[in-house]
Every structure is written in structure tokens, then in C-alpha cells.
Amino acid sequence: MPLPVIGVFDSGLGGLTGFRKLRELLPDHPLVYFGDTARVPYGTKSNDTIVRFAKQDVRFLLSQSASSVFIACGTVSSVALDDLRATFGIPFTGVVEPAAREAFRIASSKEGKVLILGTDATIRSRSYESKLITLDRGLSIRKKACPLFVPLAENLHAGRGDRAAEAAAHSYLDEFVDFRPDVIILGCTHFPLLSDIISDILPDSALISAGEEAAKEVAAAVSKSPSRRRKNASPSCVKEAFFTSGDANTFASDASVYLGRKIEKAEHVHIESFEEDT
Ligand code: DGL
């Protein structure tokens, strides 16, 4: 029997930060990734639009035989997780809870100071904040929407020395230098690409990649599942496949940078055709 396929999606390339970790933890598992690069960013859109796009993304992954979905997007995890769970009868893992738990673990052994960075929609939703407050009402929490980080990361303008990325980071983060957060939640999966620049401005803070924390949770669930433990379980013929709503060649070449290895190909998907009842 083949192992069940895990679907992974994001508005674009950012979810590959979670995918990369998941691949490291589950080297043989069949994974299908969809990046909605034609419609990125999600974080500046209305909640209704984010939910509608996320449902199309999930329908596409189901068409690729996914039997569970890793939402490698902070925005969708913040805004659409409940809707997705209510609509589709499969397991979903979002990035908010795993990242908030890790932030709490670190902050509670220090001064309890957490800074949440995310997209406009994520910050507006108060998703990370709400989870942190359930863990400890006494935490000192600050937050900041950093929407410019998304196109910068999507266009691979995110490394140390990139003047546009550094200028954006200073404009968002300088106000937190005196706060000296113990932990910064990179609550958007695109943001780990800017880790070096963020650490240069706030050097004493631990950075949490929401996608990586969630990937650990997905991998832990898989290793406990009966299908994984089955002695005759084997990878399906295709170990991984990458799909995008944008240009497939551009996606394959940019995704190779995110993953730190060359991916052979990506395929284009007309994602709007995965609207309900079509
Ligand atoms: N990578 C996404 C997130 O984690 C989305 C960024 C966007 O599309 O605005 O929030």
C-alpha cells in the first residue's frame, strides 16, 4: 500500500519554508505542493476572498489525491482554518498553534516578551495573539503587519545586503529595539527568508518559523499514524510534485532557491477552475 499523500499549499513560494522542513523530516513521504503565485499576496485581501481562494487550493490538492493538508500559510491558517475544516472531511494542520506554542515555550523561560510579525490579514485576525493568551495571559505581546516582506521574499529580495529588504525591515522593526523581544514569531511563511536582516535589527530575539514548527507537527502525526507504521508501506511512484497558478518555469527556478536543491519541474494549474460546482 502506498503512503497517503500530504497536500501542502501557500499563496506563493513562502510555504516552501514549511515544505522544506517537512521533506527533511519525512524523506520518503509523497508530498504535493501548490503555490498560488498568480494571486499572491493573500494577506492584503478580504477574509471572504482568502477563504474562497483557500477552498479552491484545497480542492486542487484533493484532485491530486491528498488525504490531509498542511496549510503552509499564516494568512490562510489565521483566517480560513475553521472554514476549511468544516467544508472538507480531511485533517488540516495550520501554522498558528504550533508556532504560538513554541513561542510560549521560549518566552516563558525568559521575560515573556513576544513580537508577532505577519501579513495584514493575520495581524487583523489576532490569531497568534489569541493562542498565546490562552497559554499565558501574562505574556507581553506586540505585533506588526509587515506586508512588504511578502513581495520581497517572493521576488528573492530578502538576503542580507539587499537594500530594499533592509529598508523595509528597519521601517517595520526599529520601533521594537527597546522592547527587546525574547521571541519573534515569523507568522508568515515568507518571512524566514528575511531572518538575517531581522536578526541584525533585533539580535537578542529567537526567531520562530511558523512553517517549520507546523512541519514538525505534521511529521509527528504521520509517524504516529497506522499507515506509516505498516510494514509494507511504501512511497507512491511520485515522491513529490509542485504546482503553481503562475508561470511553471519561474516557479521551478525560484522554488529551487527556497528548497536549497534543484527541482526538476513544476506544472501550471488553472486554479479558478477549482471553484465549487464547476
Ligand atoms: N505566506 C503567506 C503567509 O504565511 C502569505 C503571504 C501573502 O500571501 O500575503 O501569510
Side-chain angles (χ1 to χ4, degrees):
M1 281 285 281
L3 292 166
V5 175
I6 302 174
V8 186
F9 78 98
D10 177 46
S11 59
L13 294 160
L16 292 167
T17 56
F19 182 98
R20 180 178 177 153
K21 185 72 187 175
L22 190 58
R23 175 50 80 216
E24 180 192 316
L25 298 170
L26 300 176
D28 296 323
H29 208 92
L31 305 176
V32 174
Y33 185 90
F34 173 69
D36 198 359
T37 50
R39 303 190 295 192
V40 67
Y42 282 12
T44 52
K45 296 185 168 66
S46 69
N47 288 4
D48 284 352
T49 300
I50 295 165
V51 170
R52 186 166 70 81
F53 285 2
K55 286 183 178 173
Q56 292 174 350
D57 301 345
V58 171
R59 280 188 208 102
F60 167 69
L61 292 172
L62 292 176
S63 78
Q64 298 300 308
S65 309
S67 57
S68 64
V69 170
F70 169 19
I71 306 170
C73 175
T75 303
V76 173
S77 302
S78 295
V79 168
L81 180 59
D82 292 343
D83 265 296
L84 295 178
R85 283 190 172 139
T87 306
F88 302 98
I90 56 164
F92 286 92
T93 304
V95 300
V96 172
E97 291 208 14
R101 274 198 299 272
E102 179 63 4
F104 163 69
R105 191 187 67 74
I106 296 173
S108 57
S109 66
K110 298 188 173 175
E111 291 177 52
K113 294 187 290 187
V114 182
L115 173 61
I116 302 162
L117 306 181
T119 63
D120 288 315
T122 294
I123 297 302
R124 187 175 69 224
S125 75
R126 306 185 74 233
S127 56
Y128 288 99
E129 214 175 333
S130 307
K131 181 65 194 169
L132 285 167
I133 289 168
T134 65
L135 295 168
D136 182 353
R137 296 195 74 80
L139 291 171
S140 174
I141 301 170
R142 304 281 173 87
K143 56 191 177 173
K144 187 80 179 175
C146 307
L148 283 176
F149 285 174
V150 177
L152 286 164
E154 196 72 15
N155 289 286
L156 308 176
H157 273 277
R160 192 177 266 136
D162 187 287
R163 290 172 64 182
E166 288 182 345
H170 278 287
S171 79
Y172 290 138
L173 303 177
D174 282 353
E175 66 185 278
F176 301 106
V177 169
D178 291 340
F179 177 56
R180 293 168 64 103
D182 300 317
V183 188
I184 301 174
I185 299 180
L186 304 176
C188 167
T189 53
H190 282 78
F191 294 2
L193 259 76
L194 289 106
S195 291
D196 287 342
I197 293 178
I198 294 169
S199 287
D200 286 345
I201 299 172
L202 298 166
D204 302 322
S205 310
L207 301 186
I208 293 179
S209 160
E212 289 193 11
E213 290 311 316
K216 290 179 202 166
E217 188 162 304
V218 174
V222 166
S223 49
K224 280 189 220 134
S225 77
S227 60
R228 183 69 180 181
R229 285 202 302 267
R230 259 197 331 257
K231 288 211 169 47
N232 58 351
S234 61
S236 64
C237 326
V238 180
K239 193 173 84 170
E240 63 185 18
F242 297 92
F243 296 89
T244 174
S245 55
D247 180 73
N249 291 333
T250 307
F251 184 91
S253 119
D254 291 350
S256 301
V257 176
Y258 269 75
L259 294 174
R261 65 183 163 92
K262 188 163 167 43
I263 64 164
E264 290 312 321
K265 69 167 182 141
E267 285 176 53
H268 173 78
V269 178
H270 179 48
I271 195 65
E272 293 281 349
S273 69
F274 288 85
E275 188 61 56
E276 207 169 9
D277 302 321
T278 54

